[in-house]
Amino acid sequence: VLVSCDETRVAEQYQDLDNGEWMVANKPSFQFDIQDTTRAYNIYCNLRNDLDYPWSRIFVTYVLSDSSGKTLSSKMVEHMLFDRNTGEPQGSSGIGDLHDHQVPLLMQFRFPSQGKFSIAFEQMMRTDTLAGIHAV
C-alpha cells in the first residue's frame, strides 16, 4: 500500500496465498508507478491472518527497488498479530476469523525519480511453511 501525506491512496494490491500458507520460497512482489516526486509517501505491508497462525508476531523482510533493480530500501520488520499476554488477535477483524494488519514500512518516503517501482516481501519465521497467513 502506498499512501501520500494527504491520505490519498496511490496503490493497493494483495496476493492471496494458497491454503493460507506462506511458503518461504513465495516472495510476493508488487509493481506500481510514481509520478509525483514532490510528495512524501507512507508505505505499508498489508497482511491477512487467521487464528491458526502459531505465533504472536511475524517477521517480514521487504525490498523496495526502482525499475533498474537498484535497492532503495530494505529492512526486516516485526509486527504483533496477537497480543503477547492475552493471545487476543490484533488488527481489524474481517470475515470470520480473518484479521487484517497494516504494517508500517516507510513513513514520509520520497521517491528519487518518476517511474516504475517494485516492492517484494519475504517471511522470515524460520519455517518453510508459515500457516495462518492468507494474503500479503
Side-chain angles (χ1 to χ4, degrees):
V1 173
L2 291 174
V3 179
S4 68
C5 288
D6 66 355
E7 301 302 320
T8 303
R9 194 170 306 235
V10 175
E12 183 172 24
Q13 302 170 29
Y14 282 88
Q15 284 187 21
D16 291 329
L17 303 174
D18 293 336
N19 303 316
E21 297 176 332
W22 191 353
M23 305 296 286
V24 73
N26 184 356
K27 298 176 184 175
S29 178
F30 304 90
Q31 287 72 44
F32 56 93
D33 288 315
I34 294 296
Q35 296 305 315
D36 188 352
T37 59
T38 65
R39 296 170 109 172
Y41 296 87
N42 296 330
I43 303 173
Y44 300 90
C45 173
N46 288 344
L47 297 172
R48 184 170 292 136
N49 72 287
D50 65 25
L51 300 178
D52 291 332
Y53 184 77
W55 296 284
S56 60
R57 61 187 176 168
I58 188 170
F59 290 95
V60 175
T61 296
Y62 74 87
V63 178
L64 175 65
S65 305
D66 66 14
S67 60
S68 72
K70 178 183 174 188
T71 298
L72 302 177
S73 181
S74 178
K75 184 177 178 183
M76 184 169 68
V77 295
E78 172 189 11
H79 185 73
M80 297 302 293
L81 300 180
F82 296 90
D83 183 276
R84 190 174 300 197
N85 295 320
T86 66
E88 290 295 315
Q90 303 290 307
S92 60
S93 180
I95 301 169
D97 68 349
L98 295 179
H99 295 270
D100 293 327
H101 304 265
Q102 195 168 68
V103 181
L105 302 178
L106 293 165
M107 301 293 103
Q108 303 295 308
F109 183 80
R110 293 192 183 272
F111 287 89
S113 62
Q114 294 179 338
K116 296 189 181 298
F117 296 87
S118 66
I119 190 164
F121 299 96
E122 182 177 359
Q123 64 98 338
M124 303 298 291
M125 294 300 294
R126 298 184 188 175
T127 182
D128 183 55
T129 305
L130 186 55
I133 302 294
H134 289 264
V136 177

